[in-house]
Amino acid sequence: MEERKEKMIVIFPYMAQGHIIPFLSLALQIEKKGYQITFVNTPLNIKNLKQSLPLNSSIRLLEIPFNSSDHRLPPETENTDSIPFSLTLTLLEASVSLKPAFRNLISDLVRGGAPPLAVIADIFFGWTAEVAHEFGIFHTIFSSTGGFGMACYYSVWMNLPHNYTDSVEFTLPDFPEAGLIHRTQLSANVLAADGTDPSSKIIQLLLSSWVDSDGILFNTIEEIDKIGLYYFRRKLSLPVWPIGPILLSVDSRARSNKVCGISSESCINWLDSKPQNSVLYISFGSQHTISASQMMQLAKALDSIDINFIWVVRPPLGFDMNLEFDAVEWLPEGFLKRIEEQNRGLIIVKWAPQVEILLHKAVAAFLSHCGWNSVLESISAGVPLIGWPMGAEQFYNVKYLEEEVGVCMEVARGTNFEVRNEDIVKKIGIVMGENGKGKEIREKACEVKKMIENGGRDEEGYKGSSVRAMEEFLNVAAFFGKEKKVRGQKCRMNT
Ligand SMILES: *[C@@H]1O[C@H](CO)[C@@H](O)[C@H](O)[C@H]1NC(C)=O
Ligand SMILES: *[C@@H]1O[C@H](CO)[C@@H](O)[C@H](O)[C@H]1NC(C)=O
Ligand SMILES: *[C@@H]1O[C@H](CO)[C@@H](O)[C@H](O)[C@H]1NC(C)=O
């Protein structure tokens, strides 16, 4: 009984599918280690989660009260996926109001005789640290994105370097080792930020509370992400635990709430009919899409280069995602007919079984927006990337994967970029090419795949870096629980 109480962990992600799903995958992984999980979120998100939780899971879902009508949001909207983009900041601001309710929730758990061993909170919920410490509970933040991308994101928002220079390229004042950042690598809301606007006010406030936490968990692997992890170790003087890859193990329906465009089986059958390393897989993720003219250029490129491909097509920018979508309207005349005759392309609308595709030996490269989940799925399968970042920290993921890791080549940046089909053809040619740079990139991708496998190895006499990091985190949390007297004092690790 006593034992059980000590092994309960509260997990609290921000209200967005892109946050909830990686947190749920983390929760399932920690559950397997014999811990009890209490997963906290607002009522409607908890309701949705009930459907996606695996049947054999004992994760307890706990509601925290929230009424969107009280926060200038439409009724019954509790997730970034259910509000228009223009309201994302309003939801973020509203989330801070959860603090008293979160305090009540923790207080109830403690008074009910089940004090949590630790709280694992979102990158936007650093304020939960104060609540956890009030009750002598260990607190950590979980970043579902990698170290380097998150370090650039953190530094850019905290310093707003573009606001102090007219030049198109600059370095980050507290992260010079990241090298030059170009203005085109800043998302629109960063470019518009000057420290006085609502976006920078709330984001700076939320990120600055990281320092109150007792440690940061990253969904990455020490061996491939040292620079970014070191940034946080230096900046926050906190232990930083790379425990990845936490791959999204949750049912695909929950991942995007979108209907599958194809069955995994027919997709794999198609891939089975193709030679090894002959297929380019193209997807910009479930949150992003390219512009109509970019879509045309990409199709023209695919028309003129003799490769096989799978392309997950979503309606172009400005098109209502919920309306009926016919890909034909947005592609060059006769394109679909030609690739069908040549039997070399598979167009999938909206959603594809990405993990299965990337693991197939026919797949040679992945043209991706390089969101971190996609990156991890690709490099875990040893598949090199052609980067087309769309926003947030994706620009820095691509920069790092290309310049430092050597498994990626950037082809375009964002939706305003005037990409030419000749350039797309050239980059695809290089990365999928038999020799030279392409060979180098693919060899590197295989090396990285092995590093990731090693990081997760847990055998007698050998524990990989990610396994060790997870154990260290759980040990430090347990120790903190037993030393409530020293609460408020940061626990440090001697690594
Ligand atoms: C639930 O089932 C999955 C798939 O069989 C397995 O991988 C996982 O370990 C199980 N989880 C628990 C908590 O038993
Ligand atoms: C949320 O608040 C509105 C306005 O005060 C109210 O009409 C509605 O019933 C509340 N919803 C819930 C679920 O409590
Ligand atoms: C950003 O630049 C504007 C105009 O140059 C300046 O007034 C403002 O103080 C700057 N922002 C910060 C955070 O210093």
Side-chain angles (χ1 to χ4, degrees):
M1 193 68 190
E2 185 64 21
E3 171 84 1
R4 268 188 77 147
K5 275 191 237 163
E6 298 252 316
K7 293 189 99 180
M8 195 266 280
I9 294 181
V10 168
I11 292 197
F12 190 19
Y14 181 58
M15 302 99 88
Q17 285 315 95
H19 293 233
I20 289 174
I21 299 305
F23 269 77
L24 190 52
S25 306
L26 172 69
L28 290 166
Q29 192 145 324
I30 297 179
E31 183 191 22
K32 277 195 209 166
K33 296 188 171 292
Y35 289 80
Q36 258 197 316
I37 306 290
T38 301
F39 199 95
V40 177
N41 224 275
T42 57
L44 287 178
N45 289 314
I46 291 295
K47 203 172 145 202
N48 291 335
L49 275 164
K50 278 188 183 134
Q51 287 146 29
S52 42
L53 215 54
L55 289 175
N56 64 351
S57 170
S58 67
I59 292 177
R60 173 180 174 215
L61 300 171
L62 199 56
E63 282 183 12
I64 188 165
F66 180 76
N67 187 337
S68 58
S69 307
D70 298 341
H71 302 276
R72 295 173 289 122
L73 288 162
E76 313 230 317
T77 52
E78 299 180 6
N79 193 300
T80 52
D81 287 32
S82 58
I83 52 173
F85 183 75
S86 58
L87 288 176
T88 46
L89 196 62
T90 312
L91 183 64
L92 190 60
E93 287 166 343
S95 70
V96 183
S97 73
L98 293 167
K99 191 171 180 180
F102 184 71
R103 192 189 173 280
N104 289 344
L105 187 148
I106 295 293
S107 170
D108 287 349
L109 290 173
V110 171
R111 280 191 300 159
L117 174 72
V119 170
I120 304 179
D122 198 273
I123 60 162
F124 293 140
F125 288 170
W127 49 261
T128 53
E130 201 184 304
V131 177
H133 291 161
E134 187 188 331
F135 294 94
I137 298 164
F138 188 80
H139 181 276
T140 170
I141 284 167
F142 172 54
S143 165
S144 58
T145 47
F148 187 86
M150 186 47 78
C152 290
Y153 177 89
Y154 194 97
S155 176
V156 162
W157 273 111
M158 294 306 280
N159 297 298
L160 303 176
H162 62 287
N163 201 38
Y164 297 93
T165 174
D166 292 327
S167 49
V168 291
E169 283 187 311
F170 37 82
T171 52
L172 301 171
D174 59 355
F175 193 27
E177 63 271 44
L180 286 171
I181 304 283
H182 194 276
R183 269 179 199 274
T184 52
Q185 291 173 308
L186 302 179
S187 52
N189 55 348
V190 174
L191 276 174
D194 67 2
T196 62
D197 57 296
S199 294
S200 34
K201 274 188 177 158
I202 184 74
I203 294 176
Q204 287 183 347
L205 178 79
L206 298 175
L207 296 183
S208 59
S209 63
W210 281 30
V211 74
D212 299 330
S213 189
D214 302 308
I216 321 287
L217 300 168
F218 276 94
N219 188 8
T220 193
I221 302 93
E222 179 83 42
E223 287 78 1
I224 63 164
D225 210 354
K226 286 198 163 75
I227 300 176
L229 297 171
Y230 184 66
Y231 168 81
F232 287 107
R233 288 177 178 134
R234 181 180 65 208
K235 179 95 191 158
L236 305 173
S237 305
L238 289 174
V240 164
W241 293 294
I243 54 163
I246 309 285
L247 298 173
L248 304 186
S249 52
V250 181
D251 189 298
S252 52
R253 275 169 302 144
R255 252 173 98 156
S256 61
N257 282 329
K258 279 166 195 99
V259 187
C260 309
I262 189 169
S263 73
S264 298
E265 203 190 355
S266 42
C267 199
I268 297 308
N269 285 344
W270 187 87
L271 283 169
D272 283 343
S273 73
K274 301 298 173 213
Q276 188 163 351
N277 282 335
S278 72
V279 177
L280 174 67
Y281 171 56
I282 306 164
S283 171
F284 296 96
S286 58
Q287 309 284 323
H288 297 280
T289 187
I290 52 179
S291 73
S293 65
Q294 290 175 330
M295 206 165 149
M296 198 58 94
Q297 292 298 316
L298 178 53
K300 278 186 184 157
L302 295 171
D303 227 352
S304 64
I305 186 170
D306 187 23
I307 54 153
N308 299 316
F309 64 89
I310 293 179
W311 182 5
V312 185
V313 179
R314 303 184 75 225
L317 204 67
F319 188 90
D320 187 343
M321 289 290 159
N322 300 315
L323 291 181
E324 195 68 26
F325 169 64
D326 190 355
V328 173
E329 293 173 46
W330 307 96
L331 296 169
E333 186 143 4
F335 175 76
L336 289 177
K337 190 151 177 277
R338 275 192 299 283
I339 62 159
E340 197 188 324
E341 280 165 10
Q342 297 161 358
N343 186 29
R344 64 181 185 89
L346 194 58
I347 300 280
I348 300 178
V349 174
K350 286 187 179 171
W351 187 88
Q354 178 156 304
V355 174
E356 287 91 332
I357 291 173
L358 287 168
L359 287 172
H360 199 285
K361 64 184 190 322
V363 173
F366 181 12
L367 171 50
S368 167
H369 68 307
C370 290
W372 194 244
N373 290 324
S374 288
V375 168
L376 285 179
E377 286 169 356
S378 197
I379 61 178
S380 298
V383 175
L385 294 132
I386 299 172
W388 187 332
M390 307 298 294
E393 93 303 343
Q394 293 154 19
F395 301 109
Y396 321 122
N397 294 344
V398 169
K399 177 182 163 68
Y400 188 70
L401 293 169
E402 176 161 356
E403 293 172 9
E404 300 289 336
V405 188
V407 294
C408 179
M409 197 169 241
E410 189 173 27
V411 67
R413 216 171 258 178
T415 49
N416 292 323
F417 193 94
E418 277 190 44
V419 64
R420 293 173 22 220
N421 68 71
E422 300 92 319
D423 293 330
I424 302 176
V425 167
K426 199 173 132 203
K427 293 278 165 78
I428 294 175
I430 294 173
V431 175
M432 291 182 68
E434 302 256 303
N435 304 305
K437 186 83 185 158
K439 185 160 176 266
E440 226 174 83
I441 288 182
R442 277 200 310 280
E443 281 169 2
K444 193 75 206 179
C446 285
E447 255 176 63
V448 167
K449 178 184 182 220
K450 290 206 184 83
M451 287 182 196
I452 295 175
E453 281 167 1
N454 264 335
R457 262 170 60 196
D458 189 358
E459 296 156 11
E460 210 169 294
Y462 184 89
K463 283 190 203 299
S465 57
S466 292
V467 176
R468 287 200 311 271
M470 178 70 95
E471 286 185 359
E472 274 169 20
F473 149 61
L474 292 166
N475 287 339
V476 172
F479 174 77
F480 190 89
K482 293 199 171 60
E483 299 285 317
K484 278 177 194 152
K485 301 183 287 300
V486 300
R487 158 186 121 194
Q489 199 179 312
K490 301 259 185 248
C491 49
R492 280 167 217 276
M493 301 217 328
N494 326 303
T495 40

